[in-house]
Amino acid sequence: MRASCSTAVIIGFLLGSLVGIGTVVMALGMGPLINFFNKHINIPILRCNGLY
């Protein structure tokens, strides 16, 4: 996940977009954030419904 986000930032930079600290933080922080919500929200809901 991190490689694809970092790649998107690099491609955006090469195409001339602005890359600030917020862009880098979001690109590197989305993976752990998605993982956290997947573990604590998604999986328990799926278990309750018998789908996991």
Side-chain angles (χ1 to χ4, degrees), residues 1-10 26-28 30-31:
M1 181 73 182
R2 284 185 189 215
S4 63
C5 289
S6 299
T7 303
V9 171
I10 292 169
M26 286 301 297
L28 298 177
M30 286 305 293

Side-chain angles (χ1 to χ4, degrees), residues 20-40:
I21 188 69
T23 305
V24 174
V25 168
M26 286 301 297
L28 298 177
M30 286 305 293
L33 186 66
I34 291 170
N35 189 32
F36 172 81
F37 280 104
N38 191 29
K39 279 184 187 176
H40 297 343

